[in-house]
Every structure is written in C-alpha cells, then in structure tokens.
Amino acid sequence: MPSNVESVRTVYDQLAQDTGNTVDAMNKYSGFADSFKCTTYPPSAGVPDMDKTAYIAYFEQFTKMSVSRKMTLDEIIDAGNKVIAHGTTWFTLHDGTEVVLSHMNIFTFDDGGKLIHIKQFTDSHNVLQLREKFKPQA
C-alpha cells in the first residue's frame, strides 16, 4: 500500500497531466473513503462542502472551461495521517483568459490509508472571479 505522501503525489501527478482525463482518473482512484468530504476555505469563496461525486464534478467543471491546464506540486509535508500540499494551477480559458490559482490542501487519511477529508485553501479572489464568469445564466 502506498504511503499517504505517495498517494497525494499520485493524485497531483494525475491532475498535472493536461490530458482531459482528470475526471476518469479520479473516478478510478480507489483511495476515497466512503465518508470522504472536501471543505473549501475561506468560506467566503462560496464553495459548499463536497462528497466524492461533487468533488469530481468540481474538477470536471475546471476541465470543461479550460483549453489547457498545468498544475505543479510546489511543496509537500508529511504529518502522519495528514499530508499538506501546496500547488499552483495555470488555466487558459476558452476565451483566452489566463488564470493562476494558488492552493494549499490538507489531506487527512484514515488508518487504512483511505482519503477521508481534504481542507482546500484556494486563491479566493480568482475562484470568485471564475464562479462569476461561469455563473449559470437565468
């Protein structure tokens, strides 16, 4: 069984590939616990808590709105059942807009190595701009 750090590196490696297969890769990832939840901070970003299905849909939305994406894992810290990862993502949207998102995630694993929680700290200014840009039209 891979270590928690290896699991996080694998997830970042899969997300870093600009192949459009992010959602497929996440659907195949067997490391999610049944009780998995992702919480996005700060709350002012307006992103609700997500279970596995909602979390995968969240990434699917970024895949659909961009023509290219690059993601790096800038730093990783092993804290036992928690792994802290700092990353940067660059998007080019269909209209040519370039967006850079900085993010810090705290991954929490259960004793069996299943991912039970992600605390996702995002670049709230850019997330709010993206949410506004892609808000469903009434």
Side-chain angles (χ1 to χ4, degrees):
M1 177 169 57
S3 73
N4 295 338
V5 168
E6 289 169 337
S7 293
V8 170
R9 284 189 191 280
T10 298
V11 168
Y12 269 82
D13 287 346
Q14 289 175 346
L15 294 175
Q17 298 174 24
D18 190 16
T19 62
N21 294 325
T22 302
V23 175
D24 290 340
M26 291 182 78
N27 275 318
K28 292 176 186 172
Y29 175 62
S30 61
F32 288 108
D34 291 341
S35 61
F36 171 79
K37 181 174 92 170
C38 177
T39 305
T40 301
Y41 293 90
S44 61
V47 179
D49 284 355
M50 297 173 272
D51 63 9
K52 177 185 173 184
T53 302
Y55 186 65
I56 291 171
Y58 176 78
F59 274 96
E60 185 175 30
Q61 130 191 351
F62 284 111
T63 300
K64 286 181 178 179
M65 72 177 154
S66 61
V67 292
S68 68
R69 183 188 72 246
K70 177 184 173 195
M71 185 176 196
T72 60
L73 177 58
D74 303 321
E75 183 177 10
I76 192 164
I77 300 167
D78 184 352
N81 74 327
K82 293 185 185 288
V83 175
I84 299 102
H86 170 233
T88 307
T89 305
W90 294 263
F91 293 98
T92 302
L93 305 179
H94 291 282
D95 68 0
T97 303
E98 293 187 5
V99 179
V100 179
L101 293 177
S102 184
H103 41 86
M104 181 81 67
N105 296 311
I106 301 172
F107 297 83
T108 303
F109 294 85
D110 66 17
D111 291 337
K114 293 284 188 179
L115 182 57
I116 56 175
H117 191 232
I118 298 174
K119 285 184 180 177
Q120 176 173 270
F121 298 83
T122 63
D123 180 339
S124 55
H125 175 75
N126 281 338
V127 168
L128 289 171
Q129 285 186 319
L130 287 172
R131 287 176 61 87
E132 183 63 28
K133 187 177 188 88
F134 292 97
K135 183 169 51 178
Q137 301 299 315

